[in-house]
Structure formats: C-alpha cells, structure tokens
Amino acid sequence: MVRTETDQLHRILVVDDNPAIHEDFRKTLAGKKPADRSLLDMESELFGAQGSEPGADTFQVDSVLQGRDGVDRAVRARADGRPYALAFVDGRMPPGMDGIQTIKELWRVCPDIQAVLCTAYADYSWQDIQKTLGTSDNLVILKKPFDTVEVLQLAHALTRKWALDQEIQGRLHKLAYYDTLTDLPNRTLFLDRLEHLLRLSKRYGRAGAVLFLDLDNFKRVNDSLGHGVGDELLKIVSRKMSDCLRSAVTIARLDQPDMAARLGGDEFAVILTDLEGPDSAANVAMRLADHLAKPIDIGAHQVIVTTSIGITLFPQDGNDVATLLRNADLAMYNAKQNGPSAFLFYQESMNVAVQKRMTLEHHLGRAIANNELTLHYQPQINLATGRLVGMEALLRWDNPELGQVSPLELIPIAEENGMILAIGEWVLRRACAQAWDWTQQGLALPRVGVNISLPQLMHAGFLRTIDTILAETGLPPHLLELEVTESMLMSDPDGVAQTLRALKGRGIQVAVDDFGTGYSSLGRLRDLPIDCLKIDRCFVRGISMGQRDESILNAVITMAASMNLRLVAEGVETTGQADFLRTRHCPEVQGYLFSHPLSTDQAEAFLREQCIPSS
Ligand code: C2E
Ligand code: MG
Ligand code: MG
C-alpha cells in the first residue's frame, strides 16, 4: 500500500474520454481486475501483450471522461481535505477541453497536483505544451501505448514527489505561522486571521473581540528560576489558554473557531469570533484570568502567574488590524495598573491619555538641555524657636507648550522611562551648588533636602554620582539630606540598607519621606541608618478632624524621640495644626503656613531675613 504521512491512500485521477482506459489504469494502479473481456482486449491494445500485474501497488483511482469534470473532482477532493496527488490526463478528449487545457485548469485549482499528459503519436509539439503550461517539474509526458511498469513507476515516483512537496510545504507553513516553543499560532498567522475576520465583520456585521494578554510576573520567574522554567511555564500557559477557548467554542462557531496566539515573549492574544456581545468577551477574559492564576507546578517549583487582559471589540474599536491590536495592548496596559488578573475594555480616553503621556515624554527628553527645569525651596522650621532648620528642594518644570507640569505627574513617568537618572542628577547638582553658594555668601542654611527616586538609589553608579557632585560643588556632606520614601525602604531591603549605610559613612543625612504611608515595620526602621522622619501630610490634615490621626501623630512623635530621630511634620497649613504639633513637642514643621516652596530668588530673600547680622 502506498500511503501518505496521514496514512491515506494516495489519490490518482484519470481523465480520459475512453472508459476502457479507466479500467486499465484502475487495474494497474488499484490492483483490480477489469470487469469484462472486451476491456481486457482494450488493455492489450493499450499496454501491449504483457497485461497488468494485479495486486501490485495500490492507489485510490478515480476517473472521469472529460477535462471539466476532472477539474470539478479535483476541487471537491481538495475541499474534502483529500486532494489528488496525481492526474493522468489524455491528450485529446473531444468535445471538451484537451489535455493541455485540462492540466492548466487543474493547476489553477490545485497548484501542486502532479500531471501526466498521455499523448498518441504527435498530438502536441514541445512548443505547444510549453506555450500553455510553461516548464514545470510537475509535468511528465507519456506516449501511448504505455507499459504497465512505466505507469506504475510514474505513479510511484510522482506521488512520492507530491507527498514530499506536501511535507516540506507543511513544515515551512509551520515554521512561518506557528511558534516553535508553544506550538500556538504566531503573530503572522494571528494578524492574517484577524485581517480576514475584520473584513468579514465589516461586510456581514459579525462581531468579534481581540484579547491582549500579558503575564504580570513572568520576568521574575524567568530571572529567578531560569529560562528552562520560564519556557516550560510559557508552554503550560499556552495549553491552559487553548483549553479555556476550546470549551468556549460552540458548534455554530466551528467554521471560525476562536484562536489563541503567542505574539512574542510573554505576550499572548486571543481572537473571539461571532460574539453575542461584550459580555461574552468579558466572560472569556474572566475565565482566562481565573484559570491562568491557578498555581502551576514545574518540577520542584510551584509558580503563580497572573495575567492582565485588554479587550478591543471589532469592528468598532479599530478600522484595521494594527489599530485593533494597539488598542487592545493599551487596554491591557491600563488593566495592569488595576492589579493582578484584571481585564479592561478599550476606551477612547485611553488613547488620549497615551497621547498626552507621549507628548510629555517627548518634551521631558529636552527639558534639561532647554533649561526648563528649576528648583524651588521650601523652608523647614523649628516649631519651638521659629528658626529655619533646612530647605527641601522641589523640582519645577515649565515647558513653553505644556506650561507648568507638577512633579507628581512627571516623576512617575521619568521613573518608568529611565529619565529620572539624568533628572535626579541634575536636581542633586543644582541643589548642592545652590546650597553651597548661599553658605559661602554667609546665608546660613543648616541643610538642603533632596528627593531621591528608587531607580536612582538602586543604580550602580549612585554613590559615585553623589561623590562627584559633592566634590564638584564643594558642599560638605553633612549639609545634604536625601529624602527617600518609606515604600522604597521596603522594596529591596538589603540593597537599600547597604546604600544607606554607605551614605551615612560619608556623613550624608537620610530622611524617610511620606512616613506613615508605606507600612514599614518599626524593627526595620530601627535597623536602618536614618536620621529623620517626615510624617506625611495626610496625618497633619487629620488634626482636629479625628481622634485617629491625632493618636498616630502622638505615637510617631514619641517614637521618633525615643529612637533619637529628627521629626518633620509635612503640610502644616493652619495655626490650629501648628498649635497641636507644638503642644505635642513635634520638633520641626514644613508647610504653607510657614512658607510655600520658593523660587531661588525668593528663597535667598527668605534666608537673608532669617540671617541675623552678627554685627
Ligand atoms: P514631597 O517630597 O513629599 O514634597 C512635599 C510636597 O508637598 C511638595 O509638592 C510641596 O509643594 C507640597 N507641600 C508643602 N507644604 C504643603 C502644604 O502645606 N499643603 C499642601 N497641600 N502641600 C504642601 P510638590 O512640589 O508638588 O512635589 C510633590 C512630590 O514630588 C514630592 O513630595 C516628591 O515626592 C516629588 N518630587 C518633587 N521634586 C522632586 C525631585 O527633585 N525628585 C524626586 N524624585 N521627586 C520629587
Ligand atoms: Mg520630599
Ligand atoms: Mg513628603
């Protein structure tokens, strides 16, 4: 038996206007005896005296009398998923198409079918054949009368060639359209399918959705457990995704089943077709998020990955494939901000926010070079004496196009895109230079506070940058206080502690900013080399409004005193707040009641006022 990889008989089509010849082919190729005597005679006429060898190799042979029927048969066989490998086509088949025309048509519908043109005497010249069919290695010309061996040999050789072609094409197709790690469709196939579905959706109003999935903590798994585990995880996640979808497919949707694809890295996407409405998409998203969030065992490890999902609906959320996918990505990005396993539908406003952010990033990139950054300085006051104890440097950005941009808006963006390193260095240099300049003018500034972001603190060159700036500006280290937020202390406890110790070694002071908002433990605070707590202004705001904030303030004031830490209450706006803090012996304050953040000139004037001439 001659079978393909899929264990099917190779199919051969005979197109010949002489029914007797059909039988001959069948006998030779399918191992069948001709039904009657007259056919046997015909056989000897065609194949010579030797006849056939019944029961030899077997193919599945179909036959038709006319070229047009042959083409129809080939189309149907292909549609059924069982295409013909080879066609024996008679040269002349009046009144229909001749052999050359038939082969041309066959190739049009089945480009890879192998063809044998069976001709008598001088039916065609080589030029005739070439003119219509070109030069193709899918064509063999066989002169009548032919030999059984010839026919068998051709059938073998050509069906094998066809099968090999199919296999190679299959492999190439797999390489081009499937992800080698997970076996899921890749980005190319995904985009092809989406393009097709979007066209259908526009024409017939069939609704669909694209789900964009990103694993929330894949990078951590990959970094900590190694790429082997990472790869395994991606495979398992892919399988889980496919499982989820398969159960969602209904019989009616089988013509365009839902599809999961790996777009690259830990990004996956799903196409849902023939949606009843957004709710169905939300249901699938929820099922995917729940299913994927279950713990996964890989070898000795158990990992939990959660997934953020963004959803776009088509046709309404994008006129083309690229927009649909971009918007789904955008929705995913927004979903990620909402915590693990969240999903969100795309909304127009997301694009507006992104545009705004992109403009901001664009301008921020040039802010230093264009001298758009400045520092304001907010005085810190000793409550008991009313004297200045320090000033906090606060970043200001004034852009000709965007106007004033708050640090609350620009710092998180700069932290995310890495610009914070350059900006932070600029702030440090500027603040240190200014503080030393004032000091040298005889304007006593006990210390200058500079806010530091986590990426700065974690950067390998941070201490070197500080040393360089202090050396360049000449500011004595004890006049510099770096403000780190409470949450930073918790993010990488060992790394942060080491850097803080190095700062302490240089005589630089460290303040914990926004204290009370970051859930740090007292034990941890005790172990860290810090000098000052800046209690967050939300507690100060609560003074005279509620017992709770007041008791927290009391506790923090007592704690700071017992730990020998300085304490600054932030955001003091009213005399009531100041009085409360004074009676509780809070040592230092900062807030609008005493002074707003001041421009350099204003700050200088403030310092001059404070400065009692030593006549
Ligand atoms: P922060 O370090 O806690 O700074 C105090 C913020 O509270 C400042 O806001 C200040 O203007 C404001 N403030 C001071 N007194 C009062 C008051 O009485 N009432 C109210 N409602 N607010 C008051 P600003 O300047 O907008 O800065 C906001 C945050 O941006 C800062 O909070 C800090 O976290 C960050 N930031 C500012 N400059 C820099 C910088 O150079 N580098 C870094 N990494 N972050 C900075
Ligand atoms: Mg601060
Ligand atoms: Mg603060």
Side-chain angles (χ1 to χ4, degrees):
M1 290 274 209
V2 181
R3 292 171 189 276
T4 61
E5 269 206 327
T6 52
D7 208 28
Q8 285 180 349
L9 282 177
H10 282 323
R11 299 186 76 187
I12 295 179
L13 179 65
V14 174
V15 188
D16 199 309
D17 59 339
N18 182 349
I21 286 177
H22 296 186
E23 280 303 310
D24 289 335
F25 271 109
R26 195 160 281 130
K27 191 159 66 97
T28 308
L29 299 170
K32 282 196 186 134
K33 276 275 180 203
D36 64 35
R37 185 70 226 154
S38 60
L39 287 176
L40 275 178
D41 295 342
M42 291 262 199
E43 175 200 0
S44 44
E45 184 188 308
L46 188 63
F47 290 99
Q50 56 189 313
S52 61
E53 293 168 42
D57 307 88
T58 310
F59 297 89
Q60 190 198 316
V61 180
D62 294 327
S63 51
V64 290
L65 295 164
Q66 287 291 305
R68 179 53 54 204
D69 298 334
V71 174
D72 290 348
R73 274 287 185 103
V75 169
R76 244 179 296 139
R78 198 181 156 94
D80 290 346
R82 297 191 52 226
Y84 289 108
L86 168 62
F88 284 95
V89 183
D90 187 18
R92 298 271 178 228
M93 297 173 283
M97 290 191 290
D98 69 3
I100 293 185
Q101 211 52 44
T102 303
I103 291 174
K104 186 180 171 197
E105 286 297 302
L106 278 174
W107 280 350
R108 201 172 52 75
V109 294
C110 303
D112 34 14
I113 194 169
Q114 306 292 310
V116 176
L117 179 63
C118 309
T119 66
Y121 316 112
D123 274 352
Y124 302 108
S125 71
W126 176 236
Q127 281 77 13
D128 290 336
I129 296 169
Q130 228 190 0
K131 215 168 81 197
T132 313
L133 299 178
T135 44
S136 163
D137 67 349
N138 288 353
L139 177 69
V140 170
I141 295 156
L142 185 61
K143 290 274 185 206
K144 292 176 187 171
F146 20 82
D147 189 290
T148 318
V149 177
E150 255 175 351
V151 169
L152 270 171
Q153 174 55 29
L154 274 179
H156 268 290
L158 294 178
T159 52
R160 192 160 297 165
K161 173 170 177 287
W162 177 86
L164 269 176
D165 284 355
Q166 298 292 303
E167 199 183 318
I168 291 169
Q169 276 176 28
R171 279 195 204 163
L172 287 177
H173 183 269
K174 191 143 194 253
L175 274 178
Y177 291 108
Y178 287 84
D179 174 49
T180 40
L181 178 69
T182 61
D183 276 342
L184 282 184
N186 64 12
R187 179 181 280 269
T188 311
L189 181 54
F190 177 83
L191 293 178
D192 270 9
R193 168 70 77 83
L194 186 55
E195 176 115 43
H196 173 68
L197 289 170
L198 187 58
R199 238 179 290 129
L200 287 183
S201 143
K202 284 180 186 165
R203 197 174 310 152
Y204 304 111
R206 287 160 68 166
V210 175
L211 274 53
F212 196 106
L213 294 88
D214 187 274
L215 306 185
D216 294 324
N217 33 11
F218 176 71
K219 194 175 169 325
R220 210 166 57 216
V221 173
N222 219 19
D223 290 349
S224 56
L225 300 179
H227 290 246
V229 174
D231 282 357
E232 201 50 42
L233 179 65
L234 289 175
K235 285 195 223 172
I236 295 172
V237 163
S238 303
R239 234 174 292 135
K240 283 179 144 199
M241 280 174 58
S242 303
D243 291 349
C244 257
L245 294 187
R246 219 166 292 142
S247 58
V249 173
T250 64
I251 302 296
R253 279 154 58 169
L254 278 177
D255 63 328
Q256 295 291 351
D258 299 339
M259 177 204 255
R262 181 176 177 217
L263 301 185
D266 61 344
E267 284 180 357
F268 295 85
V270 166
I271 306 179
L272 303 177
T273 58
D274 283 335
L275 271 193
E276 276 160 28
D279 282 357
S280 321
N283 285 338
V284 177
M286 227 171 329
R287 192 165 46 226
L288 276 166
D290 284 352
H291 194 44
L292 293 176
K294 297 204 177 97
I296 296 174
D297 291 317
I298 304 175
H301 307 284
Q302 185 173 68
V303 289
I304 296 180
V305 281
T306 54
T307 312
S308 301
I309 305 178
I311 309 173
T312 36
L313 301 171
F314 56 87
Q316 63 266 44
D317 284 345
N319 212 22
D320 55 76
V321 167
T323 310
L324 267 181
L325 202 58
R326 199 178 51 239
N327 289 345
D329 188 0
L330 199 57
M332 183 282 292
Y333 177 82
N334 280 270
K336 231 185 221 317
Q337 324 289 317
N338 289 0
S341 294
F343 70 89
L344 269 185
F345 283 90
Y346 164 76
Q347 285 171 352
E348 189 69 34
S349 58
M350 293 175 178
N351 250 326
V352 175
V354 161
Q355 284 300 335
K356 193 169 166 214
R357 187 195 154 115
M358 276 166 58
T359 316
L360 208 126
E361 275 187 309
H362 169 78
H363 289 293
L364 190 57
R366 298 155 190 218
I368 295 180
N370 291 351
N371 284 324
E372 292 166 11
L373 299 183
T374 51
L375 290 184
H376 279 198
Y377 298 86
Q378 188 174 31
Q380 297 167 335
I381 307 293
N382 179 307
L383 249 190
T385 64
R387 291 191 60 91
L388 181 81
V389 285
M391 281 190 173
E392 178 178 6
L394 293 161
L395 183 61
R396 296 292 176 261
W397 179 26
D398 193 359
N399 176 268
E401 204 171 302
L402 304 170
Q404 301 266 357
V405 184
S406 158
L408 291 174
E409 195 173 350
L410 79 93
I411 297 283
I413 293 175
E415 284 177 348
E416 237 172 79
N417 67 17
M419 285 183 201
I420 192 67
L421 293 179
I423 293 173
E425 187 174 335
W426 180 91
V427 171
L428 262 167
R429 184 170 278 115
R430 189 77 225 98
C432 290
Q434 187 60 68
W436 187 232
D437 184 31
W438 283 329
T439 310
Q440 282 188 312
Q441 290 183 45
L443 301 173
L445 176 60
R447 61 171 187 267
V448 63
V450 176
N451 293 285
I452 299 294
S453 282
L454 185 63
Q456 285 177 275
L457 198 66
M458 300 310 295
H459 192 255
F462 179 63
L463 291 169
R464 207 168 346 116
T465 305
I466 298 263
D467 290 340
T468 310
I469 288 172
L470 288 178
E472 260 175 36
T473 58
L475 184 76
H478 69 273
L479 296 190
L480 176 63
E481 177 164 83
L482 299 183
E483 297 191 4
V484 297
T485 61
E486 194 184 2
S487 51
M488 279 161 69
L489 300 181
M490 299 298 126
S491 59
D492 172 19
D494 295 340
V496 169
Q498 213 178 335
T499 308
L500 296 191
R501 251 174 253 126
L503 291 171
K504 183 97 182 159
R506 286 161 169 77
I508 296 166
Q509 308 202 37
V510 175
V512 179
D513 206 353
D514 307 339
F515 183 73
T517 58
Y519 313 105
S520 56
S521 72
L522 286 181
R524 176 118 200 87
L525 275 183
R526 192 196 50 213
D527 293 343
L528 285 170
I530 51 179
D531 305 280
C532 172
L533 298 180
K534 295 189 73 181
I535 186 155
D536 194 77
R537 72 166 177 269
C538 66
F539 301 105
V540 174
R541 206 184 307 130
I543 292 174
S544 80
M545 290 201 300
Q547 238 357 92
R548 210 167 145 260
D549 285 334
E550 289 180 7
S551 358
I552 291 175
L553 277 171
N554 277 332
V556 174
I557 292 168
T558 314
M559 183 187 82
S562 73
M563 290 171 81
N564 230 354
L565 297 174
R566 282 193 356 258
L567 181 71
V568 182
E570 291 193 283
V572 181
E573 295 183 353
T574 65
T575 45
Q577 291 166 348
D579 290 344
F580 175 91
L581 291 165
R582 195 175 290 114
T583 56
R584 298 304 193 282
H585 306 291
C586 172
E588 297 174 11
V589 283
Q590 176 181 345
Y592 295 167
L593 179 67
F594 303 94
S595 170
H596 278 259
L598 305 169
S599 69
T600 309
D601 290 346
Q602 292 168 331
E604 191 166 318
F606 189 96
L607 283 172
R608 283 189 199 288
E609 268 174 40
Q610 287 275 317
C611 199
I612 304 153
S614 55
S615 55

